[in-house]
PDB file of all heavy atoms in Angstrom:
ATOM      1  N   GLN A   7    -213.206  51.412 -24.658  1.00  0.00           N
ATOM      2  CA  GLN A   7    -212.123  51.687 -25.602  1.00  0.00           C
ATOM      3  C   GLN A   7    -212.601  52.592 -26.734  1.00  0.00           C
ATOM      4  O   GLN A   7    -211.875  53.480 -27.172  1.00  0.00           O
ATOM      5  CB  GLN A   7    -211.573  50.375 -26.173  1.00  0.00           C
ATOM      6  CG  GLN A   7    -210.811  49.541 -25.159  1.00  0.00           C
ATOM      7  CD  GLN A   7    -210.478  48.176 -25.719  1.00  0.00           C
ATOM      8  OE1 GLN A   7    -211.318  47.294 -25.759  1.00  0.00           O
ATOM      9  NE2 GLN A   7    -209.241  48.024 -26.168  1.00  0.00           N
ATOM     10  N   ILE A   8    -213.813  52.368 -27.219  1.00  0.00           N
ATOM     11  CA  ILE A   8    -214.344  53.175 -28.320  1.00  0.00           C
ATOM     12  C   ILE A   8    -214.674  54.588 -27.851  1.00  0.00           C
ATOM     13  O   ILE A   8    -214.427  55.564 -28.566  1.00  0.00           O
ATOM     14  CB  ILE A   8    -215.566  52.489 -28.964  1.00  0.00           C
ATOM     15  CG1 ILE A   8    -215.172  51.127 -29.538  1.00  0.00           C
ATOM     16  CG2 ILE A   8    -216.180  53.374 -30.038  1.00  0.00           C
ATOM     17  CD1 ILE A   8    -214.053  51.172 -30.586  1.00  0.00           C
ATOM     18  N   ARG A   9    -215.193  54.722 -26.644  1.00  0.00           N
ATOM     19  CA  ARG A   9    -215.457  56.066 -26.104  1.00  0.00           C
ATOM     20  C   ARG A   9    -214.158  56.839 -25.934  1.00  0.00           C
ATOM     21  O   ARG A   9    -214.096  58.035 -26.231  1.00  0.00           O
ATOM     22  CB  ARG A   9    -216.200  55.966 -24.783  1.00  0.00           C
ATOM     23  CG  ARG A   9    -217.648  55.601 -24.947  1.00  0.00           C
ATOM     24  CD  ARG A   9    -218.359  55.514 -23.624  1.00  0.00           C
ATOM     25  NE  ARG A   9    -219.775  55.230 -23.826  1.00  0.00           N
ATOM     26  CZ  ARG A   9    -220.554  54.723 -22.894  1.00  0.00           C
ATOM     27  NH1 ARG A   9    -220.075  54.447 -21.691  1.00  0.00           N
ATOM     28  NH2 ARG A   9    -221.827  54.500 -23.148  1.00  0.00           N
ATOM     29  N   ASP A  10    -213.116  56.165 -25.451  1.00  0.00           N
ATOM     30  CA  ASP A  10    -211.807  56.814 -25.317  1.00  0.00           C
ATOM     31  C   ASP A  10    -211.272  57.207 -26.691  1.00  0.00           C
ATOM     32  O   ASP A  10    -210.724  58.292 -26.861  1.00  0.00           O
ATOM     33  CB  ASP A  10    -210.831  55.880 -24.603  1.00  0.00           C
ATOM     34  CG  ASP A  10    -209.494  56.529 -24.345  1.00  0.00           C
ATOM     35  OD1 ASP A  10    -209.474  57.657 -23.796  1.00  0.00           O
ATOM     36  OD2 ASP A  10    -208.459  55.916 -24.685  1.00  0.00           O
ATOM     37  N   LEU A  11    -211.448  56.344 -27.671  1.00  0.00           N
ATOM     38  CA  LEU A  11    -211.024  56.648 -29.036  1.00  0.00           C
ATOM     39  C   LEU A  11    -211.745  57.888 -29.559  1.00  0.00           C
ATOM     40  O   LEU A  11    -211.112  58.778 -30.134  1.00  0.00           O
ATOM     41  CB  LEU A  11    -211.304  55.459 -29.959  1.00  0.00           C
ATOM     42  CG  LEU A  11    -211.128  55.704 -31.450  1.00  0.00           C
ATOM     43  CD1 LEU A  11    -209.678  55.997 -31.782  1.00  0.00           C
ATOM     44  CD2 LEU A  11    -211.644  54.528 -32.253  1.00  0.00           C
ATOM     45  N   SER A  12    -213.050  57.960 -29.370  1.00  0.00           N
ATOM     46  CA  SER A  12    -213.820  59.122 -29.833  1.00  0.00           C
ATOM     47  C   SER A  12    -213.295  60.409 -29.216  1.00  0.00           C
ATOM     48  O   SER A  12    -213.173  61.429 -29.891  1.00  0.00           O
ATOM     49  CB  SER A  12    -215.295  58.953 -29.499  1.00  0.00           C
ATOM     50  OG  SER A  12    -215.827  57.858 -30.192  1.00  0.00           O
ATOM     51  N   HIS A  13    -212.972  60.356 -27.935  1.00  0.00           N
ATOM     52  CA  HIS A  13    -212.407  61.530 -27.258  1.00  0.00           C
ATOM     53  C   HIS A  13    -211.059  61.908 -27.873  1.00  0.00           C
ATOM     54  O   HIS A  13    -210.810  63.085 -28.163  1.00  0.00           O
ATOM     55  CB  HIS A  13    -212.250  61.254 -25.767  1.00  0.00           C
ATOM     56  CG  HIS A  13    -211.500  62.322 -25.051  1.00  0.00           C
ATOM     57  ND1 HIS A  13    -212.045  63.566 -24.786  1.00  0.00           N
ATOM     58  CD2 HIS A  13    -210.225  62.356 -24.575  1.00  0.00           C
ATOM     59  CE1 HIS A  13    -211.137  64.311 -24.166  1.00  0.00           C
ATOM     60  NE2 HIS A  13    -210.031  63.598 -24.034  1.00  0.00           N
ATOM     61  N   GLN A  14    -210.195  60.929 -28.087  1.00  0.00           N
ATOM     62  CA  GLN A  14    -208.875  61.196 -28.662  1.00  0.00           C
ATOM     63  C   GLN A  14    -208.968  61.758 -30.080  1.00  0.00           C
ATOM     64  O   GLN A  14    -208.162  62.609 -30.466  1.00  0.00           O
ATOM     65  CB  GLN A  14    -208.028  59.924 -28.660  1.00  0.00           C
ATOM     66  CG  GLN A  14    -207.618  59.485 -27.268  1.00  0.00           C
ATOM     67  CD  GLN A  14    -206.777  58.232 -27.311  1.00  0.00           C
ATOM     68  OE1 GLN A  14    -205.917  58.088 -28.180  1.00  0.00           O
ATOM     69  NE2 GLN A  14    -207.016  57.319 -26.390  1.00  0.00           N
ATOM     70  N   LEU A  15    -209.939  61.279 -30.847  1.00  0.00           N
ATOM     71  CA  LEU A  15    -210.092  61.766 -32.218  1.00  0.00           C
ATOM     72  C   LEU A  15    -210.574  63.216 -32.267  1.00  0.00           C
ATOM     73  O   LEU A  15    -210.383  63.900 -33.276  1.00  0.00           O
ATOM     74  CB  LEU A  15    -211.053  60.870 -33.010  1.00  0.00           C
ATOM     75  CG  LEU A  15    -210.529  59.485 -33.359  1.00  0.00           C
ATOM     76  CD1 LEU A  15    -211.614  58.669 -34.038  1.00  0.00           C
ATOM     77  CD2 LEU A  15    -209.282  59.563 -34.227  1.00  0.00           C
ATOM     78  N   ASN A  16    -211.186  63.698 -31.201  1.00  0.00           N
ATOM     79  CA  ASN A  16    -211.630  65.085 -31.159  1.00  0.00           C
ATOM     80  C   ASN A  16    -210.493  66.058 -30.855  1.00  0.00           C
ATOM     81  O   ASN A  16    -210.664  67.261 -31.003  1.00  0.00           O
ATOM     82  CB  ASN A  16    -212.755  65.255 -30.142  1.00  0.00           C
ATOM     83  CG  ASN A  16    -214.060  64.724 -30.661  1.00  0.00           C
ATOM     84  OD1 ASN A  16    -214.354  64.833 -31.845  1.00  0.00           O
ATOM     85  ND2 ASN A  16    -214.837  64.128 -29.795  1.00  0.00           N
ATOM     86  N   LEU A  17    -209.350  65.544 -30.447  1.00  0.00           N
ATOM     87  CA  LEU A  17    -208.184  66.383 -30.201  1.00  0.00           C
ATOM     88  C   LEU A  17    -207.445  66.620 -31.514  1.00  0.00           C
ATOM     89  O   LEU A  17    -207.476  65.785 -32.416  1.00  0.00           O
ATOM     90  CB  LEU A  17    -207.257  65.714 -29.187  1.00  0.00           C
ATOM     91  CG  LEU A  17    -207.883  65.373 -27.831  1.00  0.00           C
ATOM     92  CD1 LEU A  17    -206.889  64.569 -26.991  1.00  0.00           C
ATOM     93  CD2 LEU A  17    -208.314  66.633 -27.105  1.00  0.00           C
ATOM     94  N   LYS A  18    -206.751  67.742 -31.621  1.00  0.00           N
ATOM     95  CA  LYS A  18    -206.008  68.051 -32.841  1.00  0.00           C
ATOM     96  C   LYS A  18    -204.828  67.091 -33.014  1.00  0.00           C
ATOM     97  O   LYS A  18    -204.204  66.686 -32.036  1.00  0.00           O
ATOM     98  CB  LYS A  18    -205.467  69.479 -32.793  1.00  0.00           C
ATOM     99  CG  LYS A  18    -206.509  70.521 -33.009  1.00  0.00           C
ATOM    100  CD  LYS A  18    -205.864  71.877 -33.119  1.00  0.00           C
ATOM    101  CE  LYS A  18    -206.887  72.908 -33.493  1.00  0.00           C
ATOM    102  NZ  LYS A  18    -206.283  74.198 -33.743  1.00  0.00           N
ATOM    103  N   PRO A  19    -204.499  66.759 -34.278  1.00  0.00           N
ATOM    104  CA  PRO A  19    -203.314  65.937 -34.532  1.00  0.00           C
ATOM    105  C   PRO A  19    -202.048  66.668 -34.079  1.00  0.00           C
ATOM    106  O   PRO A  19    -201.984  67.896 -34.102  1.00  0.00           O
ATOM    107  CB  PRO A  19    -203.323  65.748 -36.050  1.00  0.00           C
ATOM    108  CG  PRO A  19    -204.695  66.098 -36.478  1.00  0.00           C
ATOM    109  CD  PRO A  19    -205.236  67.071 -35.493  1.00  0.00           C
ATOM    110  N   TYR A  20    -201.048  65.910 -33.712  1.00  0.00           N
ATOM    111  CA  TYR A  20    -199.815  66.473 -33.195  1.00  0.00           C
ATOM    112  C   TYR A  20    -198.797  66.784 -34.297  1.00  0.00           C
ATOM    113  O   TYR A  20    -198.267  67.873 -34.360  1.00  0.00           O
ATOM    114  CB  TYR A  20    -199.207  65.503 -32.181  1.00  0.00           C
ATOM    115  CG  TYR A  20    -197.978  66.009 -31.485  1.00  0.00           C
ATOM    116  CD1 TYR A  20    -198.074  67.010 -30.525  1.00  0.00           C
ATOM    117  CD2 TYR A  20    -196.732  65.502 -31.783  1.00  0.00           C
ATOM    118  CE1 TYR A  20    -196.959  67.484 -29.877  1.00  0.00           C
ATOM    119  CE2 TYR A  20    -195.604  65.970 -31.143  1.00  0.00           C
ATOM    120  CZ  TYR A  20    -195.724  66.955 -30.184  1.00  0.00           C
ATOM    121  OH  TYR A  20    -194.614  67.415 -29.552  1.00  0.00           O
ATOM    122  N   ASN A  21    -198.535  65.812 -35.175  1.00  0.00           N
ATOM    123  CA  ASN A  21    -197.473  65.957 -36.181  1.00  0.00           C
ATOM    124  C   ASN A  21    -197.928  65.826 -37.627  1.00  0.00           C
ATOM    125  O   ASN A  21    -197.093  65.723 -38.515  1.00  0.00           O
ATOM    126  CB  ASN A  21    -196.383  64.904 -35.953  1.00  0.00           C
ATOM    127  CG  ASN A  21    -195.395  65.321 -34.906  1.00  0.00           C
ATOM    128  OD1 ASN A  21    -195.204  66.503 -34.662  1.00  0.00           O
ATOM    129  ND2 ASN A  21    -194.760  64.352 -34.276  1.00  0.00           N
ATOM    130  N   SER A  22    -199.212  65.771 -37.886  1.00  0.00           N
ATOM    131  CA  SER A  22    -199.683  65.619 -39.260  1.00  0.00           C
ATOM    132  C   SER A  22    -201.028  66.309 -39.400  1.00  0.00           C
ATOM    133  O   SER A  22    -201.540  66.873 -38.445  1.00  0.00           O
ATOM    134  CB  SER A  22    -199.804  64.124 -39.619  1.00  0.00           C
ATOM    135  OG  SER A  22    -200.779  63.509 -38.830  1.00  0.00           O
ATOM    136  N   GLU A  23    -201.587  66.246 -40.588  1.00  0.00           N
ATOM    137  CA  GLU A  23    -202.871  66.894 -40.836  1.00  0.00           C
ATOM    138  C   GLU A  23    -204.043  66.081 -40.320  1.00  0.00           C
ATOM    139  O   GLU A  23    -205.118  66.616 -40.090  1.00  0.00           O
ATOM    140  CB  GLU A  23    -203.048  67.148 -42.336  1.00  0.00           C
ATOM    141  CG  GLU A  23    -202.083  68.177 -42.880  1.00  0.00           C
ATOM    142  CD  GLU A  23    -202.300  68.433 -44.353  1.00  0.00           C
ATOM    143  OE1 GLU A  23    -203.396  68.126 -44.861  1.00  0.00           O
ATOM    144  OE2 GLU A  23    -201.378  68.951 -44.999  1.00  0.00           O
ATOM    145  N   VAL A  24    -203.848  64.775 -40.165  1.00  0.00           N
ATOM    146  CA  VAL A  24    -204.925  63.904 -39.706  1.00  0.00           C
ATOM    147  C   VAL A  24    -204.454  63.018 -38.559  1.00  0.00           C
ATOM    148  O   VAL A  24    -203.270  62.801 -38.366  1.00  0.00           O
ATOM    149  CB  VAL A  24    -205.472  62.999 -40.843  1.00  0.00           C
ATOM    150  CG1 VAL A  24    -206.077  63.812 -41.948  1.00  0.00           C
ATOM    151  CG2 VAL A  24    -204.401  62.074 -41.358  1.00  0.00           C
ATOM    152  N   LYS A  25    -205.426  62.527 -37.817  1.00  0.00           N
ATOM    153  CA  LYS A  25    -205.196  61.538 -36.774  1.00  0.00           C
ATOM    154  C   LYS A  25    -205.803  60.240 -37.283  1.00  0.00           C
ATOM    155  O   LYS A  25    -206.972  60.206 -37.675  1.00  0.00           O
ATOM    156  CB  LYS A  25    -205.865  61.989 -35.482  1.00  0.00           C
ATOM    157  CG  LYS A  25    -205.324  61.324 -34.252  1.00  0.00           C
ATOM    158  CD  LYS A  25    -205.931  61.949 -33.023  1.00  0.00           C
ATOM    159  CE  LYS A  25    -204.981  62.996 -32.514  1.00  0.00           C
ATOM    160  NZ  LYS A  25    -205.280  63.382 -31.129  1.00  0.00           N
ATOM    161  N   VAL A  26    -205.027  59.168 -37.320  1.00  0.00           N
ATOM    162  CA  VAL A  26    -205.485  57.884 -37.842  1.00  0.00           C
ATOM    163  C   VAL A  26    -205.733  56.922 -36.684  1.00  0.00           C
ATOM    164  O   VAL A  26    -204.888  56.768 -35.805  1.00  0.00           O
ATOM    165  CB  VAL A  26    -204.444  57.274 -38.809  1.00  0.00           C
ATOM    166  CG1 VAL A  26    -204.883  55.899 -39.269  1.00  0.00           C
ATOM    167  CG2 VAL A  26    -204.230  58.187 -40.003  1.00  0.00           C
ATOM    168  N   ALA A  27    -206.903  56.289 -36.693  1.00  0.00           N
ATOM    169  CA  ALA A  27    -207.242  55.267 -35.708  1.00  0.00           C
ATOM    170  C   ALA A  27    -207.353  53.929 -36.418  1.00  0.00           C
ATOM    171  O   ALA A  27    -208.051  53.809 -37.426  1.00  0.00           O
ATOM    172  CB  ALA A  27    -208.546  55.601 -35.009  1.00  0.00           C
ATOM    173  N   ILE A  28    -206.647  52.939 -35.902  1.00  0.00           N
ATOM    174  CA  ILE A  28    -206.707  51.588 -36.452  1.00  0.00           C
ATOM    175  C   ILE A  28    -207.404  50.710 -35.417  1.00  0.00           C
ATOM    176  O   ILE A  28    -206.959  50.626 -34.271  1.00  0.00           O
ATOM    177  CB  ILE A  28    -205.302  51.046 -36.756  1.00  0.00           C
ATOM    178  CG1 ILE A  28    -204.611  51.933 -37.799  1.00  0.00           C
ATOM    179  CG2 ILE A  28    -205.369  49.592 -37.224  1.00  0.00           C
ATOM    180  CD1 ILE A  28    -203.151  51.605 -38.025  1.00  0.00           C
ATOM    181  N   ILE A  29    -208.500  50.090 -35.823  1.00  0.00           N
ATOM    182  CA  ILE A  29    -209.224  49.171 -34.954  1.00  0.00           C
ATOM    183  C   ILE A  29    -208.970  47.770 -35.491  1.00  0.00           C
ATOM    184  O   ILE A  29    -209.373  47.443 -36.608  1.00  0.00           O
ATOM    185  CB  ILE A  29    -210.721  49.498 -34.913  1.00  0.00           C
ATOM    186  CG1 ILE A  29    -210.910  50.928 -34.399  1.00  0.00           C
ATOM    187  CG2 ILE A  29    -211.463  48.493 -34.044  1.00  0.00           C
ATOM    188  CD1 ILE A  29    -212.317  51.430 -34.477  1.00  0.00           C
ATOM    189  N   HIS A  30    -208.265  46.964 -34.675  1.00  0.00           N
ATOM    190  CA  HIS A  30    -207.799  45.654 -35.147  1.00  0.00           C
ATOM    191  C   HIS A  30    -208.003  44.607 -34.076  1.00  0.00           C
ATOM    192  O   HIS A  30    -207.505  44.773 -32.970  1.00  0.00           O
ATOM    193  CB  HIS A  30    -206.325  45.747 -35.514  1.00  0.00           C
ATOM    194  CG  HIS A  30    -205.729  44.432 -35.883  1.00  0.00           C
ATOM    195  ND1 HIS A  30    -205.984  43.845 -37.083  1.00  0.00           N
ATOM    196  CD2 HIS A  30    -204.925  43.592 -35.205  1.00  0.00           C
ATOM    197  CE1 HIS A  30    -205.318  42.678 -37.128  1.00  0.00           C
ATOM    198  NE2 HIS A  30    -204.685  42.525 -35.997  1.00  0.00           N
ATOM    199  N   PRO A  31    -208.648  43.538 -34.330  1.00  0.00           N
ATOM    200  CA  PRO A  31    -209.535  43.232 -35.451  1.00  0.00           C
ATOM    201  C   PRO A  31    -210.954  43.718 -35.175  1.00  0.00           C
ATOM    202  O   PRO A  31    -211.433  43.617 -34.047  1.00  0.00           O
ATOM    203  CB  PRO A  31    -209.475  41.712 -35.547  1.00  0.00           C
ATOM    204  CG  PRO A  31    -209.195  41.254 -34.151  1.00  0.00           C
ATOM    205  CD  PRO A  31    -208.377  42.351 -33.504  1.00  0.00           C
ATOM    206  N   GLY A  32    -211.586  44.220 -36.181  1.00  0.00           N
ATOM    207  CA  GLY A  32    -212.912  44.803 -36.035  1.00  0.00           C
ATOM    208  C   GLY A  32    -213.999  43.806 -35.667  1.00  0.00           C
ATOM    209  O   GLY A  32    -215.001  44.175 -35.069  1.00  0.00           O
ATOM    210  N   GLU A  33    -213.784  42.532 -35.975  1.00  0.00           N
ATOM    211  CA  GLU A  33    -214.833  41.555 -35.714  1.00  0.00           C
ATOM    212  C   GLU A  33    -215.000  41.214 -34.237  1.00  0.00           C
ATOM    213  O   GLU A  33    -215.957  40.550 -33.863  1.00  0.00           O
ATOM    214  CB  GLU A  33    -214.628  40.272 -36.530  1.00  0.00           C
ATOM    215  CG  GLU A  33    -213.332  39.546 -36.256  1.00  0.00           C
ATOM    216  CD  GLU A  33    -212.244  39.872 -37.271  1.00  0.00           C
ATOM    217  OE1 GLU A  33    -212.329  40.884 -37.962  1.00  0.00           O
ATOM    218  OE2 GLU A  33    -211.288  39.094 -37.345  1.00  0.00           O
ATOM    219  N   ILE A  34    -214.104  41.703 -33.371  1.00  0.00           N
ATOM    220  CA  ILE A  34    -214.262  41.411 -31.943  1.00  0.00           C
ATOM    221  C   ILE A  34    -214.872  42.583 -31.163  1.00  0.00           C
ATOM    222  O   ILE A  34    -214.899  42.567 -29.941  1.00  0.00           O
ATOM    223  CB  ILE A  34    -212.936  40.956 -31.297  1.00  0.00           C
ATOM    224  CG1 ILE A  34    -211.884  42.057 -31.324  1.00  0.00           C
ATOM    225  CG2 ILE A  34    -212.437  39.673 -31.935  1.00  0.00           C
ATOM    226  CD1 ILE A  34    -210.650  41.747 -30.499  1.00  0.00           C
ATOM    227  N   LEU A  35    -215.373  43.593 -31.871  1.00  0.00           N
ATOM    228  CA  LEU A  35    -216.094  44.683 -31.204  1.00  0.00           C
ATOM    229  C   LEU A  35    -217.354  44.133 -30.549  1.00  0.00           C
ATOM    230  O   LEU A  35    -218.104  43.380 -31.182  1.00  0.00           O
ATOM    231  CB  LEU A  35    -216.486  45.764 -32.216  1.00  0.00           C
ATOM    232  CG  LEU A  35    -215.388  46.680 -32.719  1.00  0.00           C
ATOM    233  CD1 LEU A  35    -215.796  47.338 -34.024  1.00  0.00           C
ATOM    234  CD2 LEU A  35    -215.071  47.731 -31.678  1.00  0.00           C
ATOM    235  N   THR A  36    -217.590  44.505 -29.303  1.00  0.00           N
ATOM    236  CA  THR A  36    -218.832  44.099 -28.645  1.00  0.00           C
ATOM    237  C   THR A  36    -219.995  44.848 -29.296  1.00  0.00           C
ATOM    238  O   THR A  36    -219.786  45.889 -29.932  1.00  0.00           O
ATOM    239  CB  THR A  36    -218.797  44.418 -27.138  1.00  0.00           C
ATOM    240  OG1 THR A  36    -218.712  45.836 -26.968  1.00  0.00           O
ATOM    241  CG2 THR A  36    -217.640  43.713 -26.442  1.00  0.00           C
ATOM    242  N   PRO A  37    -221.229  44.363 -29.141  1.00  0.00           N
ATOM    243  CA  PRO A  37    -222.371  45.081 -29.726  1.00  0.00           C
ATOM    244  C   PRO A  37    -222.469  46.533 -29.244  1.00  0.00           C
ATOM    245  O   PRO A  37    -222.796  47.432 -30.020  1.00  0.00           O
ATOM    246  CB  PRO A  37    -223.583  44.260 -29.282  1.00  0.00           C
ATOM    247  CG  PRO A  37    -223.043  42.874 -29.126  1.00  0.00           C
ATOM    248  CD  PRO A  37    -221.643  43.065 -28.588  1.00  0.00           C
ATOM    249  N   GLU A  38    -222.164  46.773 -27.975  1.00  0.00           N
ATOM    250  CA  GLU A  38    -222.198  48.131 -27.437  1.00  0.00           C
ATOM    251  C   GLU A  38    -221.117  49.000 -28.080  1.00  0.00           C
ATOM    252  O   GLU A  38    -221.338  50.169 -28.403  1.00  0.00           O
ATOM    253  CB  GLU A  38    -222.020  48.117 -25.919  1.00  0.00           C
ATOM    254  CG  GLU A  38    -223.132  47.431 -25.171  1.00  0.00           C
ATOM    255  CD  GLU A  38    -222.976  45.913 -25.108  1.00  0.00           C
ATOM    256  OE1 GLU A  38    -221.905  45.381 -25.481  1.00  0.00           O
ATOM    257  OE2 GLU A  38    -223.949  45.252 -24.696  1.00  0.00           O
ATOM    258  N   ALA A  39    -219.935  48.422 -28.272  1.00  0.00           N
ATOM    259  CA  ALA A  39    -218.834  49.147 -28.915  1.00  0.00           C
ATOM    260  C   ALA A  39    -219.168  49.446 -30.377  1.00  0.00           C
ATOM    261  O   ALA A  39    -218.847  50.515 -30.889  1.00  0.00           O
ATOM    262  CB  ALA A  39    -217.537  48.342 -28.817  1.00  0.00           C
ATOM    263  N   GLN A  40    -219.828  48.510 -31.051  1.00  0.00           N
ATOM    264  CA  GLN A  40    -220.243  48.731 -32.432  1.00  0.00           C
ATOM    265  C   GLN A  40    -221.195  49.916 -32.527  1.00  0.00           C
ATOM    266  O   GLN A  40    -221.050  50.759 -33.418  1.00  0.00           O
ATOM    267  CB  GLN A  40    -220.920  47.477 -32.991  1.00  0.00           C
ATOM    268  CG  GLN A  40    -219.998  46.300 -33.170  1.00  0.00           C
ATOM    269  CD  GLN A  40    -220.759  45.037 -33.550  1.00  0.00           C
ATOM    270  OE1 GLN A  40    -221.879  45.088 -34.057  1.00  0.00           O
ATOM    271  NE2 GLN A  40    -220.147  43.893 -33.301  1.00  0.00           N
ATOM    272  N   ALA A  41    -222.157  49.984 -31.617  1.00  0.00           N
ATOM    273  CA  ALA A  41    -223.130  51.085 -31.625  1.00  0.00           C
ATOM    274  C   ALA A  41    -222.424  52.417 -31.365  1.00  0.00           C
ATOM    275  O   ALA A  41    -222.718  53.427 -32.015  1.00  0.00           O
ATOM    276  CB  ALA A  41    -224.211  50.841 -30.585  1.00  0.00           C
ATOM    277  N   SER A  42    -221.481  52.424 -30.440  1.00  0.00           N
ATOM    278  CA  SER A  42    -220.734  53.645 -30.131  1.00  0.00           C
ATOM    279  C   SER A  42    -219.859  54.063 -31.312  1.00  0.00           C
ATOM    280  O   SER A  42    -219.760  55.247 -31.628  1.00  0.00           O
ATOM    281  CB  SER A  42    -219.876  53.421 -28.885  1.00  0.00           C
ATOM    282  OG  SER A  42    -219.197  54.588 -28.525  1.00  0.00           O
ATOM    283  N   LEU A  43    -219.239  53.098 -31.962  1.00  0.00           N
ATOM    284  CA  LEU A  43    -218.392  53.390 -33.121  1.00  0.00           C
ATOM    285  C   LEU A  43    -219.225  53.927 -34.278  1.00  0.00           C
ATOM    286  O   LEU A  43    -218.774  54.814 -35.009  1.00  0.00           O
ATOM    287  CB  LEU A  43    -217.627  52.143 -33.561  1.00  0.00           C
ATOM    288  CG  LEU A  43    -216.697  52.304 -34.747  1.00  0.00           C
ATOM    289  CD1 LEU A  43    -215.596  53.321 -34.441  1.00  0.00           C
ATOM    290  CD2 LEU A  43    -216.081  50.976 -35.133  1.00  0.00           C
ATOM    291  N   LEU A  44    -220.433  53.439 -34.426  1.00  0.00           N
ATOM    292  CA  LEU A  44    -221.315  53.915 -35.494  1.00  0.00           C
ATOM    293  C   LEU A  44    -221.533  55.414 -35.392  1.00  0.00           C
ATOM    294  O   LEU A  44    -221.518  56.123 -36.396  1.00  0.00           O
ATOM    295  CB  LEU A  44    -222.649  53.167 -35.457  1.00  0.00           C
ATOM    296  CG  LEU A  44    -223.644  53.503 -36.549  1.00  0.00           C
ATOM    297  CD1 LEU A  44    -223.054  53.203 -37.922  1.00  0.00           C
ATOM    298  CD2 LEU A  44    -224.929  52.725 -36.345  1.00  0.00           C
TER     299      LEU A  44
END
């Protein structure tokens, strides 16, 4: 999920100046996902 998010964030925003990613809830990130998100 985090790798897919990183890919999506590299694409240009569609309707605004920024692309916002909400990770909810952050405390359930696996250790591997945490390292990738870092």
